[in-house]
Amino acid sequence: MVVLELRDVSKAFDAVQALRAVRLGLRAGEAHGLVGENGAGKSTLVKILAGAHPADEGALLMDGRALRLAGPADARAAGIAVIYQEPTLFPDLSVAENIFMSRQPLRGLRRIDARAMRARTTELFDRLGVPMDPDRPARGLSIADQQLVEIAKALAFDARVLVMDEPTAALSGPEVERLFAVVRALCEAGSAVLFVSHRFEEIFALCERVSVMRDGRLVSTDPAAEVTVAELVRRMVGREVAEMYPKAEASKGPPLLQVRGLSRRGAFTGVSLTVHAGEIVALAGLVGAGRSEVARAVFGVDRHDEGEVLVDGRRLRNGDTAAAIAAGLALVPEDRRQQGLVMELSVARNATLARRWSLARLGLLTGGAERRAARTWGERLRVRSAGPDEAVSALSGGNQQKVVLAKWLSTEPRVLIVDEPTRGIDVGTKAEVHRLLSELAGRGVAVLMISSELPEVLGMADRVLVMHEGRLVADIPRALAGEETVMLAATGHGGAG
Amino acid sequence: MRGVVRGLSSWEAVVVIALVVVVAVGALAIEGVASPRFWRFVSLEVIPIALIALPMTLVIITGEIDLSVASVLGLTCATMGQLWVWGVTSLPLLIAAALLLGALLGAVNGLFVTGFGLPSLAVTIGTLALYRGLAYVILGDRAVADYPPEWASAAIAPIPGLTIPWMIIVVAVLAAGFGVVLHATPIGRGLYAMGNNAEAARFTGISVRRTTFWLFVATGAMSALAGVFWTLRYASARADNGNGLELAVIAAVLLGGVSIFGGRGRLAGVLAAVLLLGTLRNALQLADVPANTLTIITGSLLIVSVVGPNVVVKLRARKDRSWQRGVPWRFSPR
Ligand SMILES: Nc1ncnc2c1ncn2[C@@H]1O[C@H](COP(=O)(O)OP(=O)(O)OP(=O)(O)O)[C@@H](O)[C@H]1O
Ligand SMILES: [Mg+2]
């Protein structure tokens, strides 16, 4: 039985036709996967279901009756819960307040029942296995934790239709498993689910049917059992994708990045690691293990309390990002909207911001130089945008991620730290990003890669370091690294390696 | 060329057009606006405002504000007066002392904002009162007015063959300097990044605190320079010199299209707005419009300036895209 149906829905942003006559039906008790290249229109479709964008043409039908959504409140009233691609929490409100925003449980005299709100948040977090304090403010949450809060927000009311736009992009295996358990329970209770993802193994694990979008069109819908990944990829990008993990052997040079006994109170303790020239070292672990925190301290965005960071044998000043960059360090941060990009500025400005000094001639920087530099990297990473002068805020999530990558790769770093580098990036470009990383290592760059995607970790790394609750617990060479060993260590069951 | 086209379809263009209209209407309707004397007077009026508006533009673009500028001006005037009374008669020495003092007062602002992480609005409201108070401590109700008359005539001397004072050239050179820094250097790019997203700026290695500190220092020094001009022009140092000038400066910066929230605006718009406000005020004064009405008009313009750029940006965003999309920049997969 079709619960929610889109009939020939079209949507344009000025001259960009984001959706072209899309037809899609979501069935009760069924999870429906949606895949497509970056900028194909998936998030636009999600936002139309959420009532956040009006459709230009076409109709929405719920239980066969026309559904008019003037805003997100209408969608919620109709029983549609949405997890957006980019978390949008109120930083100064608590986690519980965020989850129950505008539908707080009330007690007498319409006062907010804070205790009930907290209790229900705790219960939700238990179901999702999230160890988070409901009273803490949303400010400062990692991107994965923000995503978990968004998930809890959508699950807080029993939705008839649950729409999820890349909810797992920053999550690791166990979190994804628990989310899927909750979603499956929802499906069994008769809800319809739409699941957008670039991770095919998740699509096949959760969904009964899969649709492919391309250039704003919905090009196919099939039962998941009847299609293969290769087929989906071909429909998405219209060509064969090169090998996903083109890891080339690189000769190991001298140690470039050395971290010794690094500690930061409340985040991580006694982290020591070395990355050699030509090496790709992965930093694996569960959400909240402290991986991003280590990266930020190494890069000097956060100060550390103990220990030291050496690049090429030279000690970096604590908390001095400019010095770190001057020493040849680059960090692609996990949160592209807050940390990676200045959303109001253009693609060209963002892509060249980190190398603005080297682009300047006689101290002067022209828009032309920025546009040219941005174009080179934009083409390489297949950034899809209206032009170098377009604001990055108008780009799709994956394309924004590509701009962050361009921003840092173009600085030609000697030590590259990437935090979830392919979050939200489609298969085609992902393979390209992996090729780039491998190539950089081949040229003697030391790469430290934080990733929650186990296949990426296993496919790309020469060595896998595993963190658990703020400590490094394992150092596994490529030959011995397997799904099981890494996961055991990440959950705190592995022996120190 | 593309930059010029884009520049014209923006709020700055609105300000420039308003300026042209005010000048044209004023020249036709108000006796005396067309005369060279009027323009000499307008120039003298706007010089101190322009001097302070230059660094203020940068400060507001980074999302901060400095309300103490007029008090810095007043305190430098008072200090120069006292030094003169004590027998310092060398003009270069007096100017150097003034600029140093201004930089120092700006550094105090900067230290409170960056060192203690206090909001600049609160800090500079405090120093607005503090610096003005110190000026009164130094001079009280006295006025130091026995400077050599040559100083005044030198400060306001016209460019040979014109009536416009030569100081305008100094302002123009400084404006060009600030404009280049803001719009054509890596530093300027960093300022816009800071104003829009300070966290992303930090992740890009921009030292937000250091930059903010030096901006306040520059603002202090430029306010002191305005104070020097003020002292020389009126040949008089009083503790209340330039009282309330900060509002004229901030009004001009905002009217010029700089967003009070930071991250947006151009120097050309600010300069046009300084001229627009100066011309309007003097023309209306010439037409015997009462002072209260003048205040009302300035206030209304301030509100227009906060609302206006947003509207124009929205409209432009639409127009802009359509011509941009004409030349698609899609990257073709290889
Ligand atoms: N607010 C906006 N203004 C202008 N263009 C937009 C806006 N939002 C989306 N677009 C454009 O619409 C197209 C589709 O974007 P959408 O976000 O739906 O892609 P997506 O399939 O979700 O991609 P991704 O996998 O990267 O998340 C893109 O070309 C994008 O640039
Ligand atoms: Mg998307």
Side-chain angles (χ1 to χ4, degrees):
Chain A
M1 187 193 67
V2 174
V3 183
L4 187 61
E5 192 182 344
L6 286 103
R7 263 201 203 148
D8 297 323
V9 169
S10 296
K11 170 80 190 170
F13 296 101
D14 304 302
V16 171
Q17 192 69 40
L19 293 179
R20 301 166 201 259
V22 169
R23 283 169 176 257
L24 179 70
L26 301 179
R27 298 183 189 158
E30 193 182 87
H32 193 122
L34 184 60
V35 296
E37 258 186 315
N38 293 134
K42 305 179 297 295
S43 296
T44 307
L45 191 152
V46 165
K47 285 177 190 157
I48 284 177
L49 291 177
H53 284 326
D56 295 341
E57 282 165 45
L60 285 179
L61 284 82
M62 193 149 198
D63 303 320
R65 278 190 300 274
L67 179 65
R68 291 194 49 80
L69 302 177
D74 288 357
R76 195 185 301 149
I80 303 174
V82 179
I83 302 171
Y84 294 103
Q85 183 172 11
E86 310 292 346
T88 45
L89 301 175
F90 296 97
D92 294 312
L93 296 183
S94 77
V95 163
E97 282 165 335
N98 265 294
I99 289 175
F100 288 96
M101 193 71 224
S102 78
R103 54 202 151 89
Q104 296 89 345
L106 299 177
R107 54 198 177 113
L109 299 174
R110 297 192 52 78
R111 283 169 303 165
I112 290 174
D113 190 343
R115 192 178 309 161
M117 198 158 78
R118 197 171 313 127
R120 280 169 58 185
T121 304
T122 312
E123 181 204 341
L124 269 169
F125 281 170
D126 283 347
R127 263 208 290 166
L128 289 167
V130 179
M132 205 190 304
D133 176 9
D135 289 325
R136 69 154 290 166
R139 188 184 295 284
L141 284 177
S142 74
I143 195 78
D145 283 335
Q146 290 179 40
Q147 233 156 16
L148 287 168
V149 173
E150 289 287 355
I151 289 170
K153 199 161 127 187
L155 296 176
F157 73 107
D158 290 321
R160 293 198 53 213
V161 180
L162 175 63
V163 182
M164 305 189 286
D165 195 354
E166 302 190 35
T168 57
L171 304 186
S172 59
E175 291 99 18
V176 174
E177 271 316 308
R178 278 190 291 262
L179 168 64
F180 283 6
V182 176
V183 172
R184 282 191 195 105
L186 259 178
C187 279
E188 259 152 47
S191 298
V193 172
L194 181 68
F195 178 57
V196 180
S197 180
H198 289 293
R199 297 182 179 177
F200 291 100
E201 66 281 7
E202 291 178 1
I203 296 272
F204 283 101
L206 186 69
C207 302
E208 280 86 30
R209 290 190 302 155
V210 198
S211 293
V212 177
M213 284 194 72
R214 183 166 177 204
D215 287 335
R217 286 202 178 78
L218 202 121
V219 292
S220 73
T221 299
D222 300 275
E226 292 169 21
V227 283
T228 62
V229 172
E231 234 168 310
L232 290 180
V233 170
R234 205 160 33 242
R235 284 181 205 158
M236 271 171 68
V237 299
R239 65 194 156 83
E240 297 292 332
V241 168
E243 195 195 345
M244 201 62 206
Y245 304 108
K247 175 77 182 87
E249 280 306 316
S251 57
K252 193 162 127 179
L256 275 186
L257 174 68
Q258 284 167 288
V259 177
R260 292 192 193 140
L262 208 66
S263 298
R264 179 177 159 85
R265 220 161 292 122
F268 54 88
T269 324
V271 172
S272 298
L273 59 90
T274 304
V275 187
H276 295 259
E279 219 182 7
I280 299 182
V281 174
L283 199 50
L286 300 185
V287 167
R291 296 167 297 163
S292 300
E293 284 80 357
V294 169
R296 291 166 50 154
V298 168
F299 195 54
V301 176
D302 291 344
R303 296 183 63 84
H304 53 261
D305 300 319
E306 273 169 50
E308 56 180 3
V309 179
L310 294 96
V311 173
D312 217 2
R314 296 248 301 279
R315 196 179 160 149
L316 291 185
R317 239 181 62 172
N318 191 356
D320 189 345
T321 311
I325 294 172
L329 225 65
L331 168 67
V332 174
E334 57 166 350
D335 187 342
R336 53 181 170 248
R337 289 168 67 90
Q338 296 301 322
Q339 304 164 342
L341 298 170
V342 182
M343 299 303 282
E344 293 80 1
L345 296 184
S346 69
V347 173
R349 286 275 164 95
N350 272 288
T352 57
L353 198 58
R355 54 182 299 222
R356 61 195 190 289
W357 288 102
S358 61
L359 266 187
R361 290 281 161 270
L362 302 171
L364 297 184
L365 189 56
T366 63
E370 288 172 317
R371 275 189 279 271
R372 270 193 303 281
R375 200 177 279 273
T376 314
W377 277 91
E379 279 171 11
R380 184 133 202 218
L381 292 169
R382 295 196 189 87
V383 175
R384 193 193 265 213
S385 82
D389 292 328
E390 180 163 47
V392 269
S393 56
L395 266 55
S396 79
N399 283 300
Q400 291 174 359
Q401 183 69 25
K402 295 178 199 170
V403 176
V404 185
L405 282 168
K407 170 179 170 181
W408 286 108
L409 291 179
S410 65
T411 62
E412 303 190 349
R414 304 180 59 216
V415 178
L416 174 65
I417 308 177
V418 287
D419 196 350
E420 307 287 358
T422 58
R423 183 167 75 87
I425 285 190
D426 64 41
V427 274
T429 315
K430 207 176 207 167
E432 173 68 15
V433 170
H434 290 152
R435 217 175 53 71
L436 270 169
L437 289 179
S438 176
E439 198 182 292
L440 283 175
R443 276 193 273 137
V445 174
V447 181
L448 182 63
M449 178 179 78
I450 298 173
S451 174
S452 294
E453 213 179 322
L454 211 45
E456 185 170 81
V457 166
L458 299 177
M460 291 305 297
D462 292 302
R463 219 150 37 90
V464 183
L465 304 176
V466 186
M467 279 189 78
H468 175 65
E469 294 183 351
R471 288 173 190 281
L472 265 185
V473 292
D475 183 342
I476 311 167
R478 183 180 179 86
L480 300 181
E483 217 160 295
E484 202 140 320
T485 34
V486 174
M487 247 20 253
L488 273 179
T491 47
H493 300 296
Chain B
M1 189 57 213
R2 184 190 273 187
V4 176
V5 172
R6 218 155 64 125
L8 287 181
S9 59
S10 64
W11 174 254
E12 287 96 65
V14 176
V15 179
V16 171
I17 291 167
L19 176 61
V20 172
V21 169
V22 166
V23 171
V25 172
L28 290 177
I30 303 170
E31 170 98 41
V33 168
S35 77
R37 264 196 67 226
F38 176 79
W39 289 104
R40 173 173 173 74
F41 198 70
V42 169
S43 313
L44 288 172
E45 282 269 299
V46 300
I47 283 169
I49 297 179
L51 285 175
I52 306 178
L54 295 177
M56 185 71 86
T57 301
L58 275 56
V59 167
I60 297 185
I61 280 178
T62 61
E64 305 286 345
I65 198 160
D66 187 346
L67 296 175
S68 72
V69 285
S71 299
V72 171
L73 186 154
L75 185 49
T76 31
C77 285
T79 310
M80 278 173 79
Q82 188 62 43
L83 288 174
W84 171 259
V85 170
W86 281 340
V88 181
T89 53
S90 150
L91 184 58
L93 209 62
L94 282 175
I95 293 178
L99 294 184
L100 202 68
L101 175 68
L104 203 72
L105 297 175
V108 170
N109 284 333
L111 203 67
F112 274 107
V113 173
T114 60
F116 301 102
L118 301 171
S120 52
L121 186 72
V123 169
T124 57
I125 282 182
T127 50
L128 174 142
L130 174 69
Y131 295 162
R132 185 64 72 184
L134 288 176
Y136 276 103
V137 169
I138 292 174
L139 281 190
D141 293 335
R142 285 182 296 143
V144 178
D146 51 351
Y147 295 110
E150 312 88 79
W151 288 7
S153 36
I156 61 175
I159 302 169
L162 293 174
T163 59
I164 313 271
W166 70 274
M167 269 297 288
I168 281 291
I169 298 178
V170 175
V171 173
V173 169
L174 284 169
F178 274 88
V180 167
V181 168
L182 182 60
H183 297 301
T185 66
I187 298 174
R189 298 294 191 266
L191 298 181
Y192 283 99
M194 278 166 61
N196 278 310
N197 183 347
E199 191 177 3
R202 276 197 320 125
F203 272 83
T204 312
I206 296 166
S207 174
V208 174
R209 293 204 315 198
R210 195 181 317 154
T211 311
T212 308
F213 176 80
W214 286 109
L215 279 183
F216 276 102
V217 172
T219 310
M222 291 292 285
S223 306
L225 185 60
V228 170
F229 177 75
W230 197 283
T231 301
L232 298 183
R233 178 188 172 197
Y234 296 104
S236 157
R238 292 170 51 94
D240 67 350
N241 277 6
N243 210 350
L245 199 70
E246 69 276 350
L247 286 186
V249 172
I250 292 168
V253 173
L254 298 187
L255 183 61
V258 175
S259 163
I260 187 72
F261 304 112
R264 207 162 61 207
R266 301 183 62 85
L267 201 61
V270 173
L271 293 173
V274 168
L275 264 183
L276 171 62
L277 286 176
T279 311
L280 193 62
R281 209 163 27 231
N282 285 292
L284 291 178
Q285 261 166 6
L286 215 55
D288 283 328
V289 173
N292 287 340
T293 316
L294 275 181
T295 314
I296 292 175
I297 291 175
T298 319
S300 315
L301 275 178
L302 198 55
I303 293 182
V304 168
S305 71
V306 175
V307 179
N310 288 318
V311 175
V312 171
V313 164
K314 287 224 174 73
L315 290 178
R316 210 186 80 188
R318 297 199 159 175
K319 220 175 97 197
D320 231 27
R321 262 212 197 97
S322 52
W323 71 256
Q324 272 185 1
R325 310 270 171 178
V327 218
W329 196 59
R330 288 216 168 189
F331 296 111
S332 46
R334 282 182 294 170

